[in-house]
Amino acid sequence: MAFSLATINVNGIRAAIRRDMAKYLQQTRPDVLALQEVRASDAITNDLLGDDWELVNFPCEIKGRAGVTVAVRRDSEVKLVPGSARFGAQNEDEQAVDVDTGRWLEVTVDSGGDLTRVVSAYLHSGQVGTEKMDQKYAHLDIVTERMAQLAADSTPTVVCGDLNIVHTESDIKNWKGNHNKTAGVLDEEIAYVDGWLASGWVDVVRELAGAVQGPYSWWSWRGKAFDNDAGWRIDYHLATASLAQRALSYDIGRAPAYDQRFSDHAPVLVNYQ
């Protein structure tokens, strides 16, 4: 059965709802939502999204930071599989390194008898030359290990969310000004994405869009970045091969104007058959 999945870094669920994110959800009606940087408790997130959605939340342990959610629209034919949630990419015997920023939430959904694992991932943004960069690489190592496990499993899986890494020059407007200077555009980070794709994961939007510049999913709030389309493509659907083959189309929910944005990220929606 077909289903649609939108990943959105909401940059704070309270702010996104205040800026009318509900309008986007009403217009597009995705079956499944993967949210990042929710920055709210279970109770607040559930209240803001409302009774239309069945939610699994993984809030940050530090108030006002990070947090991810997977939500399924209650009137959809897609259903959450009870007890399927996994919180964190690390194994149970490993110390978590994602307490304050990075987050990883897995759930399984049932679309007419077809099971799909959906991961809402928020990877550290990092900052060159600081401890934050060390934390990012530590989290990337754990994520890479988990992705290898998922790739070896028979359940079709999509890792979606804000991965905070561009992959190639096609994924950022100002490559020359940022390459090996800015976190998210370092060769050492890009090597992780190279490794994931080499191991069989598919960058769904790139496959559907082809060899074009963009499509970008993040623009700074500052200056004229949005108006000039000086963006980054850092929000992904990375799918196992069997699921990637079912991807029919994608849509970047770029707001018509700067003052109509509900986040500095645009939703990335993919329709799967």
Side-chain angles (χ1 to χ4, degrees):
M1 186 179 72
F3 70 95
S4 57
L5 166 60
T7 181
I8 315 173
N9 180 320
V10 293
N11 198 6
I13 187 71
R14 283 168 282 208
I17 293 294
R18 189 170 64 249
R19 297 181 180 122
D20 205 15
M21 183 176 80
K23 181 179 179 181
Y24 169 81
L25 298 179
Q26 291 164 0
Q27 289 174 340
T28 58
R29 294 182 57 79
D31 296 297
V32 185
L33 283 176
L35 306 179
Q36 302 87 42
E37 286 204 88
V38 176
R39 300 179 183 170
S41 66
D42 279 3
I44 290 172
T45 304
N46 292 345
D47 182 60
L48 289 174
L49 283 178
D51 294 335
D52 292 342
W53 299 90
E54 183 178 4
L55 276 64
V56 179
N57 299 312
F58 189 17
C60 186
E61 295 179 23
I62 299 176
K63 189 176 180 180
R65 299 290 299 276
V68 293
T69 291
V70 175
V72 175
R73 190 161 43 81
R74 290 189 187 275
D75 64 358
S76 167
E77 294 185 35
V78 178
K79 304 299 177 186
L80 276 172
V81 175
S84 65
R86 172 182 169 129
F87 302 90
Q90 71 280 348
N91 294 323
E92 291 183 0
D93 59 348
E94 294 176 331
Q95 183 178 358
V97 297
D98 57 0
V99 170
D100 67 338
T101 50
R103 268 293 182 266
W104 180 277
L105 170 64
E106 301 176 17
V107 303
T108 301
V109 298
D110 185 338
S111 53
D114 294 327
L115 298 182
T116 303
R117 184 186 291 109
V118 176
V119 181
S120 182
Y122 175 71
L123 305 190
H124 295 68
S125 55
Q127 185 175 348
V128 176
T130 71
E131 184 182 1
K132 291 182 178 180
M133 209 68 218
D134 297 333
Q135 292 172 341
K136 182 172 189 174
Y137 288 130
H139 194 219
L140 283 167
D141 287 339
I142 289 173
V143 163
T144 297
E145 182 178 353
R146 181 58 182 156
M147 288 179 70
Q149 295 167 355
L150 295 176
D153 187 82
S154 60
T155 303
T157 299
V158 57
V159 176
C160 52
D162 178 7
L163 306 189
N164 268 310
I165 305 172
V166 304
H167 186 219
T168 71
E169 290 186 50
S170 298
D171 300 311
I172 182 172
K173 180 72 171 285
N174 184 12
W175 170 264
K176 187 174 292 186
N178 287 284
H179 183 220
N180 284 328
K181 301 170 187 173
T182 306
V185 203
L186 307 179
D187 284 341
E188 189 172 353
E189 298 169 285
I190 292 168
Y192 284 94
V193 182
D194 287 337
W196 300 335
L197 300 182
S199 67
W201 292 88
V202 178
D203 182 348
V204 172
V205 172
R206 175 55 66 211
E207 287 293 310
L208 292 172
V212 299
Q213 190 66 30
Y216 306 131
S217 61
W218 177 82
W219 304 261
S220 172
W221 287 115
R222 299 190 299 272
K224 293 288 186 179
F226 184 79
D227 294 339
N228 296 332
D229 200 23
W232 300 35
R233 191 177 75 92
I234 53 177
D235 300 273
Y236 291 81
H237 285 237
L238 296 181
T240 50
S242 62
L243 182 60
Q245 292 171 1
R246 295 165 50 193
L248 294 177
S249 61
Y250 76 92
D251 179 71
I252 308 297
R254 190 180 193 274
Y258 177 92
D259 61 1
Q260 296 179 47
R261 307 169 74 190
F262 62 79
S263 171
D264 52 351
H265 293 254
V268 180
L269 183 147
V270 173
N271 292 297
Y272 294 92
Q273 66 181 0

